[in-house]
């Protein structure tokens, strides 16, 4: 990552990268409507528009610091800095967290103490907060851009260090830079941040410090982003070296499902079972090989790998049902997991059989997804898990009724979660819906994943 002079808006990226397939997006008609700028003193009213009063009792958090988080951080130098930091604490961190226990939100409990000791981590927090606030408070974005440039310059200088604290700070900073670009919804720079974080996690220096809660948080966040980004890249997750289709077939004979160690940060980042994200990575790795079906033998191997993935999904489902017998699972979490599971099944079906929205399996999958989504209340802690299922179901929905269910929920999520990538995901679906009446007239996959290449359904 090379730092350079920060350009004036509208570009949200403080440095440019070459792209051989750059796509410009015209928001003159379909872009998000700019609201009147609000001052920091109106923050309470803005927060109230994002979270219903019924959630106010759940929105408090306790941080084990002698001082308030803002007072404890010596790197907040201006009023804008303090406003952005306050916005992160009370709004952004809660939108990122998918745990039912706000007191254990790692985006607060783990990151704020790290920020109190690091100007770089503080800068990247302010950048992410500015990205979230940008739609309703446009003037704050220039301040956030300045901090983004500072964070990039500082992390470049820190990458050569091998001490424990430097590795934590560098990894957390790069992951937050990646989050900022992903939530922007139009950037491709997130790929470089993700690769940089992968290099840190795989470096020999990191292997001796993998037992701390901070490191667990970084690994969980990277694994989550890595798995979800395979939808746009159709490649193996960066943490997995096996990218051959034969590896899918052989590895799936293992009866144990891939999963991360259970931890508070995993619950807060994923919201649902991490094993589903491993399965999604396998499905998108298979998608990378679909163009290589050039003869009967390659077709047999491709379908065998797809069958093995389907078997793994069935195994996860059986294991999930057994774990739910104890009654410990939250009902909203279970419904979000069901929607995600059927979105993976539908994605696998499309990769193997094609993009026919009238197919019986597609019809059944969309029904399961939308039925589960509609049972999850607005502003639920697992609402952030629904973007991928909604886009998959929406792109395969033929009836106006189903499309309106998807569109209405996405419009709500644009306010409850607040990041721009949700708007672009909805805009992508409307592009699909405005296409030819018959799915056979065009390539659904190309429309879904190429019109808005910066969108990752995290």
């Amino acid at each position: 990552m090379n730092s350079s002079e920060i350009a004036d808006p509208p570009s949200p990226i403080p440095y440019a990268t070459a792209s051989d397939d750059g796509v410009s997006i015209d928001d003159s008609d379909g872009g998000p409507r700019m609201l009147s700028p609000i001052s920091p003193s109106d923050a309470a009213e803005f927060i109230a528009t994002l979270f219903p009063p019924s959630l106010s009792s759940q929105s408090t958090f306790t941080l084990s610091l002698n001082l308030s988080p803002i007072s404890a951080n010596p790197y907040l130098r201006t009023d804008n800095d303090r406003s952005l930091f306050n916005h992160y604490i009370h709004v952004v961190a809660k939108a990122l967290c998918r745990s039912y226990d706000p007191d254990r939100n790692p985006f607060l409990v783990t990151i704020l103490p790290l920020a109190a000791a690091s100007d770089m981590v503080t800068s990247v927090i302010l950048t992410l907060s500015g990205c979230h606030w940008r739609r309703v408070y446009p003037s704050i974005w220039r301040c956030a851009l300045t901090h983004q440039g500072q964070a990039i310059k500082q992390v470049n200088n820190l990458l050569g260090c091998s001490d424990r604290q430097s590795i934590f700070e560098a990894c957390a900073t790069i992951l937050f830079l990646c989050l900022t670009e992903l939530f922007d919804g139009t950037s491709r720079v997130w790929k470089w941040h993700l690769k940089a974080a992968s290099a840190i996690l795989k470096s020999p220096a990191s292997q001796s410090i993998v037992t701390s809660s901070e490191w667990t948080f970084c690994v969980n966040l990277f694994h989550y982003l890595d798995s979800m980004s395979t939808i746009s890249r159709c490649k193996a997750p960066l943490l997995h070296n096996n990218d051959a289709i034969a590896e899918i077939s052989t590895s799936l004979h293992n009866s144990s499902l891939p999963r991360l160690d259970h931890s508070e940060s995993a619950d807060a980042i994923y919201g649902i079972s991490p094993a589903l994200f491993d399965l999604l990575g396998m499905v998108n790795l298979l998608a990378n090989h679909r163009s290589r079906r050039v003869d009967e033998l390659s077709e047999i191997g491709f379908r065998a790998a797809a069958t093995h993935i389907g078997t793994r999904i069935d195994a996860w489902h059986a294991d999930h049902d057994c774990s739910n017998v104890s009654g410990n699972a939250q009902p909203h979490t279970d419904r979000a997991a069901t929607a995600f599971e059927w979105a993976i099944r539908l994605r696998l079906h499309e990769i193997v059989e094609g993009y026919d929205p009238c197919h019986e399996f597609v019809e059944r999958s969309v029904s399961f997804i939308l039925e589960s989504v509609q049972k999850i209340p607005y502003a639920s802690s697992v609402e952030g898990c629904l973007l991928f299922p909604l886009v998959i179901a929406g792109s395969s929905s033929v009836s106006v009724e189903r499309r309106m269910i998807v569109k209405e929920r996405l419009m709500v999520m644009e306010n409850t979660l607040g990041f721009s990538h949700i708007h672009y995901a909805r805009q992508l679906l409307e592009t699909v819906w405005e296409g030819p009446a018959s799915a056979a007239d065009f390539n659904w996959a190309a429309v879904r994943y190429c019109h808005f290449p910066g969108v990752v359904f995290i």
Side-chain angles (χ1 to χ4, degrees):
M1 297 178 294
N2 296 323
S3 59
S4 61
E5 293 290 326
I6 299 176
D8 289 333
S11 174
I13 307 170
Y15 58 96
T17 58
S19 173
D20 56 355
D21 54 348
V23 177
S24 59
I25 298 176
D26 183 6
D27 281 340
S28 57
D29 297 323
R33 186 182 301 275
M34 281 296 183
L35 305 179
S36 301
I38 63 176
S39 63
S41 61
D42 297 326
E45 294 180 345
F46 173 61
I47 295 171
T49 66
L50 293 182
F51 298 95
S54 59
L55 297 182
S56 60
S57 61
Q58 306 175 14
S59 299
T60 60
F61 79 97
T62 303
L63 189 66
S64 57
L65 295 174
N66 294 329
L67 302 174
S68 69
I70 294 180
S71 301
N73 192 308
Y75 304 107
L76 303 176
R77 302 177 178 88
T78 67
D79 289 340
N80 279 339
D81 291 353
R82 286 182 282 274
S83 296
L84 285 170
F85 201 73
N86 186 67
H87 182 68
Y88 173 83
I89 293 172
H90 294 286
V91 180
V92 179
K94 294 170 186 175
L96 295 173
C97 179
R98 293 166 186 178
S99 170
Y100 284 91
D101 188 352
D103 293 338
R104 296 182 179 180
N105 184 344
F107 293 98
L108 296 173
V109 177
T110 301
I111 294 299
L112 292 191
L114 187 62
S118 172
D119 186 17
M120 179 178 64
V121 176
T122 299
S123 291
V124 79
I125 284 177
L126 302 184
T127 302
L128 181 60
S129 182
C131 177
H132 184 274
W133 221 351
R134 182 182 181 186
R135 184 163 63 99
V136 295
Y137 195 176
S139 61
I140 203 70
W141 182 233
R142 183 179 295 274
C143 174
L145 277 177
T146 301
H147 285 290
Q148 187 179 42
Q150 292 174 354
I152 291 172
K153 182 178 180 179
Q154 291 169 324
V155 78
N156 281 338
N157 296 332
L158 198 63
L159 288 177
C161 302
S162 59
D163 61 283
R164 178 191 183 100
Q165 185 67 16
S166 297
I167 293 176
F168 282 150
E169 290 183 20
C171 191
T173 299
I174 291 173
L175 288 172
F176 268 59
L177 287 170
C178 183
L179 274 175
T180 301
E181 302 296 349
L182 286 170
F183 286 141
D184 171 73
T186 61
S187 170
R188 293 170 181 257
V189 181
W190 60 266
K191 297 178 181 179
W192 302 106
H193 294 316
L194 201 61
K195 290 179 179 179
S198 175
I200 293 177
L201 293 172
K202 292 179 179 179
S203 65
S206 68
Q207 301 308 308
S208 61
I209 52 175
V210 296
T211 57
S212 66
S213 60
E214 293 87 353
W215 191 250
T216 301
F217 169 77
C218 289
V219 170
N220 284 332
L221 181 56
F222 173 83
H223 181 273
Y224 170 73
L225 298 177
D226 189 22
S227 299
M228 293 304 296
S229 67
T230 61
I231 302 170
S232 295
R233 294 183 287 118
C234 286
K235 293 182 179 180
L238 294 175
L239 279 183
H240 296 271
N241 295 323
N242 297 329
D243 58 357
I245 193 170
E247 296 293 342
I248 299 178
S249 301
T250 56
S251 65
L252 291 178
H253 286 295
N254 188 347
S255 60
S256 61
L257 289 171
R259 64 182 75 216
L260 295 179
D261 292 336
H262 179 78
S263 65
E264 293 174 1
S265 63
D267 294 341
I269 292 170
Y270 294 99
I272 56 179
S273 171
L276 286 171
F277 295 82
D278 288 298
L279 294 169
L280 179 61
M282 294 179 188
V283 170
N284 291 313
L285 170 58
L286 182 70
N288 190 42
H289 291 270
R290 57 186 161 182
S291 62
R292 303 175 189 179
R293 294 181 286 178
V294 296
D295 53 30
E296 184 177 354
L297 184 60
S298 60
E299 176 70 20
I300 292 174
F302 181 86
R303 288 187 174 272
T307 300
H308 282 301
I309 295 176
T311 302
R312 288 297 292 273
I313 298 175
D314 292 339
W316 176 88
H317 181 84
D319 182 68
H320 181 69
D321 284 347
C322 291
S323 64
N324 283 346
V325 173
S326 61
N328 294 328
Q330 293 282 349
H332 301 161
T333 302
D334 183 57
R335 290 162 185 160
T338 299
F340 207 94
E341 173 199 345
W342 280 97
I344 296 173
R345 291 182 184 274
L346 179 54
R347 173 82 170 128
L348 177 61
H349 169 83
E350 291 173 342
I351 290 168
V352 177
E353 304 296 342
Y355 296 84
D356 180 8
C358 299
H359 193 282
E360 183 273 336
F361 185 85
V362 175
E363 171 74 18
R364 184 155 55 98
S365 300
V366 173
S367 296
F368 277 119
I369 293 171
L370 295 184
E371 181 181 355
S372 298
V373 167
Q374 288 181 287
K375 293 179 180 178
I376 299 175
Y378 297 149
S380 168
S381 61
V382 295
E383 193 169 47
C385 303
L386 302 181
L387 185 56
F388 166 61
L390 283 170
V391 172
I392 291 293
S395 63
S396 299
S397 295
V398 177
S399 68
V400 175
E401 178 185 2
R402 285 182 171 177
R403 291 179 178 181
M404 290 303 100
I405 290 173
V406 173
K407 181 177 180 179
E408 184 263 349
R409 190 57 184 255
L410 289 175
M411 293 178 70
V412 170
M413 290 167 60
E414 288 179 40
N415 290 317
T416 56
L417 298 177
F419 287 105
S420 299
H421 74 299
I422 301 173
H423 165 78
Y424 290 115
R426 177 170 62 86
Q427 198 173 5
L428 180 149
L429 281 177
E430 291 175 351
T431 300
V432 174
W433 294 336
E434 292 171 0
S438 172
D441 293 339
F442 68 109
N443 187 331
W444 283 75
V447 171
R448 181 183 301 159
Y449 298 113
C450 295
H451 272 62
F452 296 86
V455 177
V456 177
F457 309 121
I458 58 175

